[in-house]
Amino acid sequence: MSKNLIVRFAGEGGQGVVTASEGLAQAAAQVGYHVQTFSTYPSQIKGGPTLGQTRLSTSPILSAGDGLDVLVALDEYAYEYNKDELFDDGLIVYNSKEFTLDLPNAIGFDVDELARSTGNALSANMVMIGAVAGLANMPAKYFTEFITKRFDRGRDNDQAIIEANIKALSLGMKAVKDSIQALPEMDPPVSTNADRVLIKGFEAACLGALAADLDVFIGYPISPATTMLTFMQANLIGDNKHVGQASSEIESITSILGAGFAGKRSMTSTAGPGLCLMSEGIGLAWMAEVPLVVANVQRGGPSTGLPTKTEQSDLLMALNPGHGDMRTPVIAPGTVEECFYAGAHAISWAETYQGPVILLSEASLAERQQDIPRPDASNIDIAKRVVVDNKNGDTPQPRYLGEELTPFPIPGNIGAYTANGSEHDEQGDTTHLGKWHVQMTKRRFNKLKLLENDIYESENEDAEILIVPWGGSKGPAREAYDQLVADGEKVGWAYSMFVHPMPPNMIKLLLSKKLIVVPELNYMGQFASYLRTMKINAEPITQYTGLPFRKSILANNIKELISKELAGTL
Amino acid sequence: MSKNLIVRFAGEGGQGVVTASEGLAQAAAQVGYHVQTFSTYPSQIKGGPTLGQTRLSTSPILSAGDGLDVLVALDEYAYEYNKDELFDDGLIVYNSKEFTLDLPNAIGFDVDELARSTGNALSANMVMIGAVAGLANMPAKYFTEFITKRFDRGRDNDQAIIEANIKALSLGMKAVKDSIQALPEMDPPVSTNADRVLIKGFEAACLGALAADLDVFIGYPISPATTMLTFMQANLIGDNKHVGQASSEIESITSILGAGFAGKRSMTSTAGPGLCLMSEGIGLAWMAEVPLVVANVQRGGPSTGLPTKTEQSDLLMALNPGHGDMRTPVIAPGTVEECFYAGAHAISWAETYQGPVILLSEASLAERQQDIPRPDASNIDIAKRVVVDNKNGDTPQPRYLGEELTPFPIPGNIGAYTANGSEHDEQGDTTHLGKWHVQMTKRRFNKLKLLENDIYESENEDAEILIVPWGGSKGPAREAYDQLVADGEKVGWAYSMFVHPMPPNMIKLLLSKKLIVVPELNYMGQFASYLRTMKINAEPITQYTGLPFRKSILANNIKELISKELAGTL
Amino acid sequence: MTKRNPDYDFKWCPGCGDFGVLRALDKALEERCEALSEPIENTVFVAGIGCSGNIVHLQDGPQPYGIHGIHGRTLPIAYGVKAANPELNVVVAAGDGDFLSIGGEHIGPAARRNLDIVCVIMDNGIYGLTKGQASPTTQLNVITSTTPLGKLDEPENPLELYLTNGVGFIASMVSTKPKDITKAILAGIEYPGLAIIHIQSPCTTYNDTYSLLKGDVKNGIEPLAIDLPESHDSTDYDKALTIARSNKIPVGILYSKKGSQSMNQKIATQKQSTNAPQRTVDELLTTLSLK
Amino acid sequence: MTKRNPDYDFKWCPGCGDFGVLRALDKALEERCEALSEPIENTVFVAGIGCSGNIVHLQDGPQPYGIHGIHGRTLPIAYGVKAANPELNVVVAAGDGDFLSIGGEHIGPAARRNLDIVCVIMDNGIYGLTKGQASPTTQLNVITSTTPLGKLDEPENPLELYLTNGVGFIASMVSTKPKDITKAILAGIEYPGLAIIHIQSPCTTYNDTYSLLKGDVKNGIEPLAIDLPESHDSTDYDKALTIARSNKIPVGILYSKKGSQSMNQKIATQKQSTNAPQRTVDELLTTLSLK
Ligand SMILES: Cc1ncc(C[n+]2csc(CCOP(=O)(O)OP(=O)(O)O)c2C)c(N)n1
Ligand SMILES: Cc1ncc(C[n+]2csc(CCOP(=O)(O)OP(=O)(O)O)c2C)c(N)n1
Ligand code: SF4
Ligand code: SF4
Ligand SMILES: [Mg+2]
Ligand SMILES: [Mg+2]
């Protein structure tokens, strides 16, 4: 019996491999498995090497997994490109119309032919899912329920489609039966009463922002952040809400700045190239103290880079997106579940300290589909900005009085001032005097203190070496940490999605350690270098392949680093 | 007798206070004094508090000075605003038409009235200069020579103008004679045979770039960098040279990228807000390996900030101007003389490693006028990029072969490839494969090694604490260091204008020290934090008033920091 | 934003055209507030960077809200303000460099959205604040610090561009006639869509065009700025285009498209007609529930 | 840049209009190289980001130089290339989103400079590569992922904008007629100034306009794309403007201004006429010398 199943469907874009993986995930999640998907594809619309992967498990899932139990390869390139990731006892299903494989652990059949034979050529996904179910000895009923639910759409031909798909499923199952040795039977799902949702990272982040009462969203399409814009176009449609498509990222950032100034909770989404174009506008929001949120979904960089691949290489820019003295608050969620809370916190942070906040996501996290406990917005403080109170008609205090946060005047109400990108006095008028620059600079940095909290995780706090991942590397890092602990390594763990300001007690903890090991998906070791600016002795473990970490490789690298440190050769 | 004279002319924009200070500098430099000017003014065309300051000395000058020997105040605001900077024995000359001062060290007269009485109302500057000369007991002939030379322009009325100005000078001298106690007599200039030029920082940087055979300059106006653009418009006019005004900084950066791609040495100039807009383009140059130079003249930031004030707060952005893994080479000159060599080196660096280079200047440095030894371009290696050699007609190797620099193909010649902002293979074609991203990322960072040199200064290398300034804070920091050494403090000194890559032996030196003290003009301690990313134990001493450091205040702050360090309370 | 602030001491040069524009604008806002008994705080003044943009700090009397942001971005900022609160009266002020060069990209999108705002453009054919460089409206052969041998790039015709970008209300003005400007601004505010008041506002320091505009009839020099005839039909697009493309600068309300619907009106109509329900976060989560 | 590169596997969707454009472009470059016996390396191909921009990697035969940069910046990059080396043949390729939305700001400056380049614009009225969002040329009420209730912003008329921005050579094409495109590209390369070949190149996946363009005469649906009559005088600006503003898409060479002088020609003439000497660094230093 097995608690885990990792399946990859690989082929060309347009063949439905991603749909197959999501169908498998949906079906499995509905019967109570935990699931997580992962996909990669090139930057083009149809064609190009594409893969969709699903991991099922009887316990919560931390990463896409360390290898493959089943590889479904629709063409030879897909086989060649993915075969090395098979576990030793992994199995291959291949499309015999495209190529042949003479291997004991491989079975081929003509996927499309089988699909067509059901009378519904579109059921090829289901043939593939059936083959996987067959190999893992999963009962057909898990999937028939899913099929029935999915295609019950109140149309005339529902029943025909359902039947064809059920047939496709059984054809797939039959095709693999008895032909090669099957996988160990999959444990039945742990039935759970918990209210769970199956959700993608970007959806969770958007819903978090909506839960924090987002009002205005204006964005410009860019992979892998376009999904946030189109989600908002479809869902942020109530009265007094506004969603718009800008003509460029310069318009996105400056228009949500206008909306933030006018009193609304405002947000945009982008990826690296767009973040570059927002540089000047984010600086203006910092300077003029206008709340807004930029969701930056990281992809391979620099420049146009690798638009559909994952990376964690925009951190340095996110912390310091523009010229002059500034340090943007950054929240980088590490899991799909955290995406929801990060979305809500980002809005709350912007409102709380009255300035720009960067929600730093990643391609693989935004596109990952996972079952998570139904998020509960009532769990978090949704902050609203402190506004000038007009009740007794008194003259309000000047907009930028003193060196700490002051109430925000809302246009249309008393308290008129100028939100000024030039250095300014208390009313926002331009000034050339050093004294104002000193006071206002302190003010802008002081306000960051309002965002400090002590929400972080830690374990084995007394170890001299801690593993401290950030963002989407949390999952694989956690798996590696668990393995290292199991292996008897003396390591601890600390993590927070609050990158800046970082929880003060977490900083204290990190400062007290001999070594902080930071697994991160970039070349420069960006988070480690950020920690070092705080005098924390951090060493990165980097990977920059466009793909997430794998537990076992990561665990080995950490071990190596630790032994270097112990040997004093670091 | 005195070796030093610091004079400030203060009034409103348009009254000629900056012209007066530059006239005084010019005259004094011509007779053999060392001079340095300093000025500040608000961001407007006419009016607003403005000052022009000149320091004369018999020895080379490191900073604008620590206080004022003479304050020439044209209105009461100017007096109030500047009076605290007078030395204890400093003297005041004020414009009695505007206000009166009843002080033993002040003398007033009507500047404009005196000028008009010469028959040339435009000679008010010379009245002011005359007053200063009188107070410092400098002979009139120093200035008459200058006046004769300056107004000998081959026009009919030259002689009349010369006479009026000489008269104005003597009226100014007379006005202060016997009225208040004069300053100690100024030492005569040390006659020097060295070939010196009187030059501003921006002129030096431009000339350096020209000395390195700059071909194309395209820019968009912005204070305090516009002077570079207009200098080039006037002077880069030969055959096959091109100067252009872009419609925005996005055009500036992408157009010089086109020119760099086409084989030319290309440059632009800007300041913080423009650097923000260049973010994406610089990333493209890094990614596609196109040589170009961005001269960024720092001013108060963030956002529109303090357009005419000085600051050193764009360092973090310069090092990391865009998203993704990149680290731009940065050269930050510390003196007017270094500006020349920095201009030449920046071009050479871009050519050498085939990528973008940032020349990081500062308002106060760019606008400072100073006498320096005539720069000698033959002193430096002016590198030209290695280009594909077409001689034997062989097929050249692919553009991006391997992990090290390869010859650059010039359009029009063999070696066609695509300069690609997306991740690419050896020919520049887009790829989604991790292996290329890994190889090309390494390649881009490996090339930085070509820029490593060991050009840095150091003194008292065995001290446990070093003072390590950067950029334009070099001068005042050096004065402070000299004073600390004279006071018996055990401190050393290290400095290089090569900020990144930093001279490897300098890094080693800094790593071996207990404490590195970094005086810098920003809030965050940006250079110190950069040093910390290399594990150097750096502490900043910051100032963010829009003005340069003063030696005595800086020396005190350093002492304080050192005693904290020694007491272990840092 | 009051010129009485002792620390704010920005001054235009003597004779700068922007003084006339300021007077006109102050008057327009005053009249509007009176006429509608609307508080001045209902107005948001979005200014560009340049001598012109400093107008936001120089207004007399009761002060509206202001945004003095970054170079060239008045229009998208104004879009955001209107998107957030359609009730606000948004006035943009910018120079020719700010609005037409670095900010030129935003005119088309603003016109196509049809933002209900009024833009007061101070065109002096030069970059004033950065001390005299060529702008898109600097004429051919003019010598500036960036065109030391004379400008080679063709000058831009802003009126024509506004028209073909679909701007619905266009007035062409001279700074020497503040009363006309006041009227045009008020009409622009009334207009349900994008209104641009393009004003010749000479720069006495770097590009003094007063005499060009006024001409010198005694010496046979025709004025460049010519009042639109009483008979001008401002709803006639073709006529407006022909006038815009003549080699004179018209003074008056050049174009006022009929039947304009502003962005906010279009959105409201669409929302009503489609009736798509706003689902709560809870409802949206339920669609994803595995229960 | 060769489609035979095994690691470069970009493909357009079946039926994508860009295939026709590619064929036309390949042919044009081939013909030009033959006619002038010019090496293909004399051509620099500057591509935008989008499905369309990938054309730079898909060319058949001998390969020119290419720059595949960042979204929207083809024109200023091309400006730099021409500024550096006027002898190079520069071809820009971009989509409607790249060229007209984020890159729209560069059209005016390029036209006013009068860059001697040819731009091949593939207009599919959609953002293809990012999977179907509205572009400036998406028509009213069209449903896309960013206009789920139908587009509200007025569509842009690119031909009209080119004309009023001062673009000297404008051809309007459909991707189904590659031979015409080849001719237009060759004429554009010849033209001494900015030439734009604007091509309707439908996106079969997100905005299939083939039938709209072609019409369905049998069922009484008039084609949208109409050939310019033989008699069309392409030197007539007013005529071109009228046609551009009609509600049909003309097919042919819409406008070709006479007497165009390119940027490089204008600069050369000015340099010659003023004779300003280029001083060496040494000479410049001497002007600053204290000796
Ligand atoms: C991004 C950026 N680039 C450049 C500048 C510098 N700058 C300030 S004002 C200005 C031009 C002003 O010209 P215009 O808009 O015509 O205003 P005017 O001063 O003539 O009224 C420029 C280029 C800036 N502030 N920001
Ligand atoms: C700065 C930036 N913003 C956004 C993107 C994402 N992006 C890539 S292509 C594209 C639009 C493509 O549309 P179009 O130019 O019409 O080309 P098509 O794919 O339709 O041929 C966008 C928005 C980007 N690469 N860079
Ligand atoms: S420089 Fe010109 S535009 Fe600026 S204030 Fe002076 S006159 Fe006016
Ligand atoms: S998405 Fe549209 S534009 Fe892109 S390749 Fe497919 S058909 Fe062509
Ligand atoms: Mg102007
Ligand atoms: Mg398109």
Side-chain angles (χ1 to χ4, degrees), chain D residues 52 95-97 122-128 135:
Chain D
S52 42
D96 47 323
M122 287 158 264
D123 183 355
N124 52 13
I126 200 84
Y127 285 14
S135 92

Side-chain angles (χ1 to χ4, degrees), chain B residues 93 145 251 338 374 471 529 563:
Chain B
V93 177
E145 268 172 33
E251 284 210 343
E338 285 177 10
R374 185 177 177 123
S529 98
S563 54

